Each structure stands twice: as C-alpha cells, then as structure tokens.
Amino acid sequence: MKQLKGACVIGQSGGPTSVINASALGAIEAALDNDVITRVYGAAHGIKGVLDDQLYIMDEEDRAELAHLRHTPSSILGSCRYKLKDFEEDETDYKRILEIFRKYDVRYFFYNGGNDSMDTCNKISKYMLKNGYECRVMGIPKTIDNDLAGTDHCPGYGSAAKYIATSCMELYLDARVYNTGMITILEIMGRHAGWLTAAAALAGEYAPDLIYLPEVAFDMDKFIQDVKTIYEKNGKVIVAVSEGIHDKDGKLVAEYGGTAQSRDSFGHAQLGGLAATLAAIVKEKTAAKVRGIEFSLLQRCASHVASLTDIEESYSAGRAAVENAVKGVTDKMVGFKCTRDKSYNCEIELLPLETVANTEKKVPLEWINETKDGLLQPYIDYALPLIAGETGQEKENGLPRFAKLKKVLR
Amino acid sequence: MKQLKGACVIGQSGGPTSVINASALGAIEAALDNDVITRVYGAAHGIKGVLDDQLYIMDEEDRAELAHLRHTPSSILGSCRYKLKDFEEDETDYKRILEIFRKYDVRYFFYNGGNDSMDTCNKISKYMLKNGYECRVMGIPKTIDNDLAGTDHCPGYGSAAKYIATSCMELYLDARVYNTGMITILEIMGRHAGWLTAAAALAGEYAPDLIYLPEVAFDMDKFIQDVKTIYEKNGKVIVAVSEGIHDKDGKLVAEYGGTAQSRDSFGHAQLGGLAATLAAIVKEKTAAKVRGIEFSLLQRCASHVASLTDIEESYSAGRAAVENAVKGVTDKMVGFKCTRDKSYNCEIELLPLETVANTEKKVPLEWINETKDGLLQPYIDYALPLIAGETGQEKENGLPRFAKLKKVLR
C-alpha cells in the first residue's frame, strides 16, 4: 500500500450527542500521532467549514486540554445540517471542496455523523475518485437515534439510552409520592426509529406501563382504553411515546393538536409538543391529573450520565477511522460487530459507505410485544451492555470540566 | 432529663427531593439504634398515614436494604399535601392523631418537609402539649425550594441546584452546535423564591445570558429588548426563568398565555407551561428559532447527579432530630448554621418550630444584579459548597440501585 502523505480534515455533522467529541478526540489523537498526516484540521460546522474555508488547526491545541473532549458533550467543532446535491445535478459545492482540499493538500477526510452525514461522505468520496484526486474518505458513525444500517449500534445511543432509562426510574418513584391519581406522559426523541423510546424499557420494574414506538401504528382509542384500565387498577400510569408516533394513515399524533410544524433543510418535520397534545387528550378522556414531560435536548447532551462503554467505543471508532485510512482504506464507515453470547464483545468492522448512507435501521418488530406497547427480552439483552459503566467525568466545584479549545483558524 | 420510652413515627411530607430518603434513613437508623425508642414506624403518606392508621414497621426492614435509601430519590414512605386546620377551629384531626399516638404509645414524632410541614409539626406539638400528652416533636427540613427561614439552607436544594447547573452547562454547549440563530428558554421550579433558578448562575461561563427570579417584577418589554440585543450580537440566547415570575401588578407571566390553571389543597397555583408561553411570545417578537425547555419533575428527583454534601447533610439532619429528641429536645426544627470564611463548615442548629412554619426565605435582593437578570458573587459563594461532591450511587447494569422496602403495615 502506497503511503499517502497529506493533511486531514475532521468534521462533525448532524445533531450532537454526549460522546461525539470522544470520537473527534480518537480521530484527532490518532492523526496527531501519525507521521503520514502532515496537518490536522477541524472543520468549523462540518462540511460548511470546508466550503467557507473555516478550518481550525488542531495541531495548535494543548494535548491535555484536548483530552477533556472525552467528557465534553455537543459538537466542539460545530455542526451543520447541510445537504449536498448530487454532483451530476450541481457540481458547485464539490468544486469548492476540491479547491480547498487542493489548497491545503487535504488527503484524508473524516466525517462524524448520522445517515445524512454518511450520504455527504459517500458523495464526496465518489466525486474525488471521479476527478482523480486521491483522498481517503471515512465515515465515523454518530447518532443517538441508533438508526444507521450495518452496524450493531451507533456511538451516542448508549449514553442517551442511559439518560432515558435513569430518568424513567427516577420519575417512576416521583410519580408514586402522593396517594392521588396521576398520569405521566414522557416524550422521547426519534422520528422514524424507536430505539430511544425503547430505552425506557431498560428501567425494568421502574419502566413506564406503556411504551409506543414509531415502528407500529398508534391507535388512539386502544391507547385511551389501556390508560383507563391501568389507571383504574393502579391509580398511576406512566406512558413513554416516541415523538414520531403516527396513526395507521401515517398522520403524526403530534399533529393531532394542530401544533405548528416546520421543516428543516433535509425536509424532516420539526417535531415537539406531543407530550402536551397527548396530555390534553388523556385529561379530557379520563379527568385525571395528567402531566406531560419532554426530555427535549437534555437526552442528547447529558454527558454527566454518559455510558463509559459508549465513550470508549466512540473514541475507538474515531481512532479506527484514521488508522485504517492511513493504511489505505477509503470509502468506508467504521461500524461495530458485537456478540453477546456469554459476555459482551464489540469489534470494529468497516462497512461500504453506500450501503450505510440514507438507510434507516428500525427496531425489529419481533422485539416489540404482541400488544405493541412494550419491548421484549431480546431488546433488553441487546441494549443493556451499551449503557454499562460510569463516565468518570472530571468535576470542578461539583460541576463538569469541559474542554476549552483555542480553535486557531488556518 | 427524664428518659421517655415509647415508639416513634417518622413521616415525609410535601414534594419529594433526591435526598429526602437520606434524611429518613438518618432518622430511622438513629431510632433503631436507640434503646429508648421501642418501635420505629413510618407513616404512609405523611400525616395521612397517622390519620388512616397506616403505619409501616421499620424494625422489620433489612438494615442493608434500608442503607440504599441514601441514594433513592422521592419519598419512600409516600407523601401528602394535607393541611391541618387550627385546632381551635376544628379538633377532629388532632383527636384522631392523639388516639393513634396513644394506641401505639407514640412518644416521638419526626416530620420531614417544607414550610407547610413545619406548620403541621408545630400544630401537633402545641396540641399534644395542651392536652398533657408527652410527645417530642421534631421537624426535619426538606425542600428543593430552599425557602425555609432560620436555616442556612435546606436539604434537597444542593442536589436540585447541581442538576440545574449541570443541565444548563450541557444545554449551553448543545445550543451552540449550529451556526444558525437560536433562543432557548429554560423553565425552572420555584413559586415565590428564586433559589432554584438562581442555581443556573452556578454554570459560570456556561450560564444562561438572562436569569429571572420571582423576587423582582418581570418587565416583558425590557425582556424582549434584552433578548433582541443579545440575539443580534451573538446569535444565541439562553434565558432561565422561574415558574413564578410575575409582572409589577403581580400577574404571573405563566398566565399571559391563558394557560388553564388549577390550585392544590394549600391554595397554591399549579404552574407550568411558562416556557412554552414565553417561547411563543419571543418567537413572535424576534422571528428567531425559539425552544422552550421545562426541567419539570426531573429537577427534584435526579438522584443520579445528587450532591454528596447534600446527601450527607440530609442524613445528619435526620439523625440529629432523633438524637436530640431522645435527649429531651422537642418543638424544634433541625437547621444548619454554616460558615464559608476559609472553607465551608456546616453545623446543626435547633430552631423553634413556630419561627420556621409558614415563613418563606427568599433570595436576598442584594445578591441580584442591578439589571435584575443575573446573580452576583455572594450567591455563588453561598451555593457552590452545597453542590460539592459526587453521589457515589451504587449501580446495577449501568442503572441506579434503589432501596426496596418490605413496608410491613402495623
């Protein structure tokens, strides 16, 4: 394999997670440690940083300070939700990317994100190949949604799942404080895939009574009836719903209340307000005290309760991307191949970008119970290893110590 | 001092906290360890458990299992919001309490709660005294609201403050991910006192831009103008508001949106929906992307991020109540007297119940900045020691291990 000397660009894209910076750290450290990579750039706000010639020089950062990225949530370099057009359709962005890559002799491009980011990655890789510019392109997976195809799971999911399960446990006890009736509706992220909402089931004996995923159609009449039955029996009901639940006609339940909706640049509906909508409906039908709780952004940035397994795997994924690229690998996403027979074991597996891009992996229907309002043991067995281990986050004055980078622009 | 042999009743009242069970544990352990106390009862749902003759026998519990109460949020015995009438007005409840106390030879009553609970405590103490029934009554403070008079601070506050400050830090980074404009409104608990909302300031360089407490009148026009100014300069604005903020005429801002309100049995308005109301107003005035986030019940039950200082102090408060009562003290609330000159030091101080009951301690106006939208250093110096230290909560499969009591009824 020919040694390819040159600079690298590392970018972060899509919604942040508690551990996306652990992947960035893995990639940055591996790149800094490598003599073949001449310069390590961080793209400001993902691919937009390349288009706008906004690159931070990672070589200028203090290594000890960089190490704090392991426990710093959100995207330290900044992120974007910028969709590249197909290059057959409009070459403008690609020409600009090639221009910047040539300008700084960028020969390695590492992009850390979800489905849409793998699509960006794939398109850039193909364009460079077509134009004879040698550049190794690697995708590093990241998404709390856990919906990337081909990999056992995605970095970011374990930590979000741990936050959700922990919060469900705490809320279960809180809801039982008074000997008066109470119905609680928890709204959890996840447009099309119910992985995050499924994590509520990890709370075990403290799990919500009813859990609804977008993988199956939501039946409002059955839901109201089930809530009433549990309420009459126990006086307390906790329901977990994915923001993306919809009825058999595909209409989002979040839209039942007539909440104003907007769409992002990928055309995804911006959801929210489902807990309030459902709470109002349930209140009307039961006359019980009902409270809607939205986990909101907290579920994707709560690094204080991150999973150590997730942190370590995220870091490894970043390192593996760089180390493999230097060895000659390109056009791949780093994935995980896991076994859970006796103990949990997770290994790196390289997946072709085109098989990952734009495919959504959903919760298998056979992991959902017969009444479509709970999860079965195979899901628990799948997910429990992913939330194992405590973060060990460094504290100052009782609060997290986050990384403070210089971010020197090139 | 005459030795008073007899049983004790321990009750929990009002809204739960992450550490109210640490106080219960302190009281239960001290009572079990003491030969003078013949039997240790836990009242199911506070004073209602006494009225309904629903007492759990704590002597029947496994000591190792009880120890898990230190890290179990919410009120393990159940709580209530039951207001006793003045006994001059209606003696019914008091006669019943005396009947139960006589029936089980209850000579010690320990009540763990906030202002209203200290009022209950005070009334029972006075009634027993008036009727010549020897019973030592002690209040154990508890409230995330931190609004009890006489004591430096309240058990429960430090942990809620730690959750709020930590979440503010994480959300600060999350809000800066995209290079597009974003205004975030955080709604924090606190009807009349702004202690919890003030905790947002502990996030330091990651603190919200604007922090509004109910101690000062909220001016909507100035608020909108300030948000606009910061938005135009930085593109990002984070605002923390107490649920109880009101305008100069005393009207709650939460009611601006016409949200349906209800009142609890103490006549307190049930607030909520302020974040959504304010978000809608700000969106209309700025046309920016605005997101409202309510910390909701999570801020009072997030034991996974409890303050070790708070846990230890809560435990000590419970122990001190029992140990002092056995020595002959009655009619007092356990309070804290603290110094912060060189290092933080906290000592137990006993306060007369009648000076504590029904008085609300607010954030001193001299700790609020001139523009009434932030906190000054004296608040930071006051609060930082209270959030110090990590919980050390035991985990099983990556999730908290909560106490599981037998709760054998008498």
Side-chain angles (χ1 to χ4, degrees):
Chain A
M1 178 62 57
K2 196 194 85 183
Q3 207 185 54
L4 180 64
K5 278 227 170 202
C8 79
V9 166
I10 295 163
Q12 297 176 311
S13 176
T17 78
S18 292
V19 296
I20 182 170
N21 288 327
S23 286
L25 178 67
I28 294 168
E29 287 191 344
L32 289 173
D33 291 346
N34 204 298
D35 293 338
V36 174
I37 294 176
T38 51
R39 210 90 166 115
V40 184
Y41 296 117
H45 297 287
I47 196 63
K48 282 185 77 78
V50 178
L51 294 168
D52 300 343
D53 199 354
Q54 297 272 302
L55 302 178
Y56 303 120
I57 307 168
M58 291 295 113
D59 312 70
E60 301 275 342
E61 301 293 341
D62 175 65
R63 290 290 293 252
E65 194 59 42
L66 276 175
H68 286 293
L69 283 177
R70 195 183 285 268
H71 301 293
T72 303
S74 190
S75 309
I76 194 80
L77 302 169
S79 183
C80 67
R81 288 194 179 280
Y82 186 80
K83 185 142 179 107
L84 288 179
K85 293 193 181 110
D86 286 336
F87 51 77
E88 283 88 1
E89 195 184 308
D90 183 348
E91 221 175 338
T92 323
D93 283 346
Y94 297 91
K95 281 184 169 164
R96 172 68 175 158
I97 294 168
L98 184 53
E99 181 191 346
I100 296 290
F101 279 13
R102 284 208 165 106
K103 184 172 167 189
Y104 302 122
D105 191 29
V106 173
R107 295 292 173 178
Y108 295 92
F109 180 63
F110 305 106
Y111 211 42
N112 193 185
N115 306 85
D116 295 320
S117 312
M118 293 309 129
D119 176 61
T120 300
C121 233
N122 188 36
K123 285 169 172 166
I124 291 175
S125 176
K126 301 297 177 289
Y127 184 81
M128 297 298 155
L129 196 69
K130 190 185 150 212
N131 285 271
Y133 180 82
E134 193 171 8
C135 182
R136 296 184 187 153
V137 177
M138 296 288 283
I140 306 165
K142 173 278 335 172
T143 167
I144 58 167
D145 291 324
N146 201 39
D147 60 351
L148 279 168
T151 180
D152 179 89
H153 61 278
C154 301
Y157 176 64
S159 296
K162 189 179 179 104
Y163 175 86
I164 289 164
T166 302
S167 299
C168 282
M169 290 179 72
E170 294 167 342
L171 288 169
Y172 176 97
L173 291 187
D174 192 282
R176 273 152 184 83
V177 159
Y178 301 114
N179 61 354
T180 47
M182 175 82 177
I183 301 171
T184 310
I185 310 218
L186 308 177
E187 177 181 342
I188 300 173
M189 283 180 172
R191 285 184 180 96
H192 306 299
W195 293 106
L196 285 171
T197 306
L202 298 175
E205 61 191 294
Y206 307 101
D209 303 282
L210 300 165
I211 300 174
Y212 298 100
L213 313 188
E215 275 79 358
V216 290
F218 182 81
D219 179 337
M220 185 65 83
D221 294 336
K222 186 173 181 308
F223 164 68
I224 296 291
Q225 195 47 58
D226 289 345
V227 166
K228 277 184 178 169
T229 305
I230 299 169
Y231 185 70
E232 277 157 26
K233 193 178 154 214
N234 304 335
K236 316 279 179 194
V237 192
I238 302 186
V239 182
V241 289
S242 163
E243 61 178 339
I245 54 165
H246 51 80
D247 61 26
K248 62 178 166 40
D249 304 319
K251 186 178 174 179
L252 286 166
V253 179
E255 285 174 351
Y256 278 33
T259 320
Q261 297 291 320
S262 58
R263 287 180 185 276
D264 70 11
S265 62
F266 287 106
H268 304 140
Q270 294 283 298
L271 305 182
L274 171 62
T277 300
L278 268 186
I281 295 171
V282 171
K283 193 167 196 163
E284 195 200 315
K285 300 283 185 184
T286 62
K289 187 174 173 185
V290 188
R291 191 188 277 266
I293 298 178
E294 210 183 324
F295 284 163
S296 192
L297 302 182
L298 296 161
Q299 67 199 289
R300 74 177 189 192
C301 64
S303 64
H304 71 274
V305 64
S307 147
L308 182 60
T309 303
D310 193 20
I311 293 172
E312 286 174 351
E313 291 177 352
S314 301
Y315 178 86
S316 306
R319 271 207 93 91
V322 172
E323 288 168 355
N324 280 286
V326 167
K327 280 190 223 155
V329 176
T330 184
D331 216 25
K332 295 279 193 289
M333 185 189 83
V334 173
F336 295 139
K337 193 176 180 172
C338 304
T339 52
R340 294 171 174 79
D341 297 335
K342 276 177 190 149
S343 62
Y344 171 73
N345 183 49
C346 179
E347 278 170 23
I348 299 284
E349 181 181 38
L350 301 175
L351 306 162
L353 278 175
E354 64 267 22
T355 65
V356 183
N358 296 313
T359 326
E360 279 179 328
K361 186 179 75 173
K362 303 198 175 183
V363 177
L365 292 180
E366 60 271 25
W367 289 6
I368 300 173
N369 69 3
E370 213 177 320
T371 46
K372 313 296 182 206
D373 51 21
L375 278 295
L376 299 173
Q377 194 59 36
Y379 168 74
I380 308 291
D381 296 338
Y382 163 81
L384 267 187
L386 313 182
I387 65 167
E390 306 314 306
T391 157
Q393 188 180 52
E394 192 191 332
K395 311 279 172 171
E396 266 179 15
N397 288 319
L399 295 172
R401 161 68 161 88
F402 294 150
K404 292 167 196 175
L405 302 194
K406 285 182 254 175
K407 290 194 178 178
V408 180
L409 275 174
R410 164 123 210 157
Chain B
M1 178 60 56
K2 197 194 82 182
Q3 208 185 52
L4 180 65
K5 277 227 170 201
C8 80
V9 166
I10 296 163
Q12 298 176 311
S13 177
T17 77
S18 292
V19 297
I20 182 169
N21 288 328
S23 286
L25 179 67
I28 293 167
E29 287 191 344
L32 289 173
D33 291 346
N34 204 296
D35 293 339
V36 174
I37 293 176
T38 51
R39 209 90 167 115
V40 184
Y41 297 117
H45 297 287
I47 197 64
K48 281 184 78 75
V50 178
L51 294 167
D52 300 343
D53 200 355
Q54 296 273 301
L55 302 178
Y56 303 120
I57 309 169
M58 290 296 113
D59 312 70
E60 300 276 340
E61 301 293 342
D62 175 65
R63 290 290 294 253
E65 194 59 42
L66 275 175
H68 287 292
L69 283 177
R70 196 183 285 267
H71 301 293
T72 302
S74 191
S75 310
I76 194 80
L77 302 169
S79 183
C80 66
R81 289 194 180 278
Y82 187 79
K83 184 143 180 108
L84 288 178
K85 293 193 180 109
D86 286 335
F87 51 78
E88 282 89 359
E89 196 182 306
D90 183 347
E91 221 175 338
T92 322
D93 282 346
Y94 298 90
K95 282 183 169 166
R96 174 66 175 159
I97 294 168
L98 184 52
E99 182 190 346
I100 296 289
F101 278 13
R102 283 210 166 105
K103 184 173 169 188
Y104 301 122
D105 191 29
V106 173
R107 296 291 173 177
Y108 296 93
F109 180 64
F110 305 106
Y111 212 43
N112 194 186
N115 307 85
D116 295 320
S117 313
M118 292 309 128
D119 176 60
T120 299
C121 233
N122 188 36
K123 285 170 173 166
I124 291 175
S125 175
K126 302 296 179 289
Y127 185 81
M128 297 298 153
L129 195 68
K130 189 184 151 214
N131 285 271
Y133 180 83
E134 194 171 5
C135 181
R136 295 183 188 154
V137 177
M138 296 287 283
I140 307 166
K142 172 279 334 172
T143 168
I144 57 166
D145 291 325
N146 201 39
D147 59 352
L148 279 168
T151 180
D152 178 90
H153 62 279
C154 300
Y157 176 63
S159 296
K162 190 179 179 103
Y163 175 86
I164 289 164
T166 303
S167 299
C168 282
M169 289 178 74
E170 293 167 342
L171 287 169
Y172 177 97
L173 291 188
D174 192 282
R176 274 156 183 79
V177 159
Y178 301 115
N179 61 352
T180 47
M182 175 82 176
I183 300 171
T184 311
I185 311 225
L186 309 177
E187 177 180 341
I188 300 172
M189 281 181 172
R191 285 183 180 97
H192 306 300
W195 293 105
L196 285 171
T197 306
L202 298 175
E205 61 191 294
Y206 307 101
D209 302 282
L210 300 164
I211 300 174
Y212 298 100
L213 312 189
E215 276 78 359
V216 290
F218 182 81
D219 180 337
M220 186 65 83
D221 294 335
K222 184 172 181 308
F223 164 69
I224 297 291
Q225 194 47 58
D226 289 345
V227 166
K228 278 185 179 169
T229 306
I230 299 168
Y231 186 70
E232 278 158 24
K233 192 178 155 213
N234 304 334
K236 315 280 181 194
V237 191
I238 301 186
V239 182
V241 289
S242 163
E243 62 177 339
I245 54 165
H246 51 79
D247 61 26
K248 63 178 167 35
D249 303 320
K251 185 177 175 179
L252 286 166
V253 178
E255 285 173 352
Y256 277 32
T259 319
Q261 298 292 318
S262 58
R263 287 181 184 275
D264 70 12
S265 62
F266 287 106
H268 304 141
Q270 294 285 297
L271 305 183
L274 171 62
T277 300
L278 268 185
I281 295 172
V282 170
K283 194 167 196 163
E284 196 201 314
K285 300 284 187 184
T286 62
K289 188 174 172 185
V290 188
R291 190 188 277 265
I293 297 178
E294 211 183 322
F295 284 161
S296 192
L297 302 182
L298 296 161
Q299 67 199 291
R300 74 179 188 191
C301 64
S303 64
H304 72 273
V305 64
S307 146
L308 181 62
T309 302
D310 192 20
I311 294 173
E312 286 175 350
E313 290 177 352
S314 301
Y315 178 85
S316 307
R319 270 207 95 91
V322 173
E323 288 169 354
N324 280 285
V326 167
K327 281 190 221 156
V329 176
T330 184
D331 215 27
K332 296 278 193 290
M333 184 189 83
V334 174
F336 296 139
K337 193 174 180 174
C338 304
T339 51
R340 294 171 174 77
D341 297 336
K342 275 178 192 148
S343 62
Y344 172 71
N345 183 48
C346 178
E347 279 171 24
I348 299 284
E349 181 181 38
L350 301 174
L351 306 162
L353 278 174
E354 64 266 21
T355 64
V356 182
N358 296 312
T359 327
E360 279 177 327
K361 187 179 74 173
K362 304 197 173 183
V363 177
L365 292 180
E366 60 271 24
W367 289 5
I368 300 172
N369 69 3
E370 211 176 324
T371 46
K372 312 297 181 204
D373 51 22
L375 278 294
L376 299 173
Q377 194 59 35
Y379 167 73
I380 308 292
D381 296 339
Y382 163 82
L384 266 187
L386 313 181
I387 66 167
E390 306 314 306
T391 157
Q393 189 180 51
E394 193 192 330
K395 310 278 172 171
E396 265 178 16
N397 288 320
L399 295 172
R401 161 68 162 89
F402 295 150
K404 291 166 196 176
L405 301 194
K406 286 182 256 176
K407 290 196 180 177
V408 180
L409 275 175
R410 155 117 217 165

